[in-house]
Amino acid sequence: QVQLLESGGGGVQAGGSLKLSCAASGRTRSIYTMGWFRQAPGKEREFVAAISWGSGNTYYADSVRGRFTISRDNVKNTVYLQMNSLKPEDTAVYYCAARDTITPTRYNYWGQGTQVTVSS
């Protein structure tokens, strides 16, 4: 099992920046991919960004590409999401998620979520 804990959420003005962190614990050696998702009120959960734990390859949703950067620290077992040029549309609860090597085709582990609010 892998446990995930997000931090770093809060309120910012449009155009501002925020950095989210997600610390993984438990069987961290089984992590295959870590990613970020978000869910705005009344909307479906959507993919934001992901990073392959071994290779470091990154993936981004079109809506955040060029503004957000995902990174990892394998020693700290932590993934980060640097969010720049934030827009009110980015307001959502952001969730950290992970895939493991046993079932790498889906995200099996989820954090509790952290609120990000971008004001205009």
Side-chain angles (χ1 to χ4, degrees):
Q1 290 288 318
V2 175
Q3 295 80 45
L4 305 174
L5 180 61
E6 305 102 328
S7 62
V12 297
Q13 293 183 334
S17 299
L18 201 63
K19 188 174 184 178
L20 305 182
S21 298
C22 175
S25 60
R27 296 189 63 189
T28 57
R29 282 179 287 183
S30 69
I31 294 175
Y32 182 73
T33 304
M34 293 189 71
W36 291 93
F37 292 76
R38 67 186 183 186
Q39 186 167 22
K43 295 186 177 181
E44 297 289 327
R45 181 183 64 192
E46 66 174 345
F47 169 79
V48 176
I51 186 167
S52 296
W53 207 244
S55 68
N57 291 340
T58 57
Y59 312 86
Y60 296 96
D62 290 340
S63 60
V64 306
R65 186 175 292 108
R67 298 188 298 121
F68 292 9
T69 302
I70 188 169
S71 62
R72 60 162 169 43
D73 186 328
N74 299 88
V75 176
K76 294 182 178 180
N77 296 315
T78 300
V79 65
Y80 305 94
L81 185 67
Q82 178 65 52
M83 303 182 292
N84 298 325
S85 302
L86 283 163
K87 305 174 181 179
E89 303 91 273
D90 295 318
T91 295
V93 176
Y94 283 70
Y95 297 91
C96 178
R99 302 183 184 191
D100 62 22
T101 55
I102 300 174
T103 55
T105 58
R106 66 177 184 176
Y107 287 91
N108 299 312
Y109 309 102
W110 296 84
Q112 82 289 349
T114 185
Q115 177 70 47
V116 172
T117 302
V118 184
S119 61
S120 60

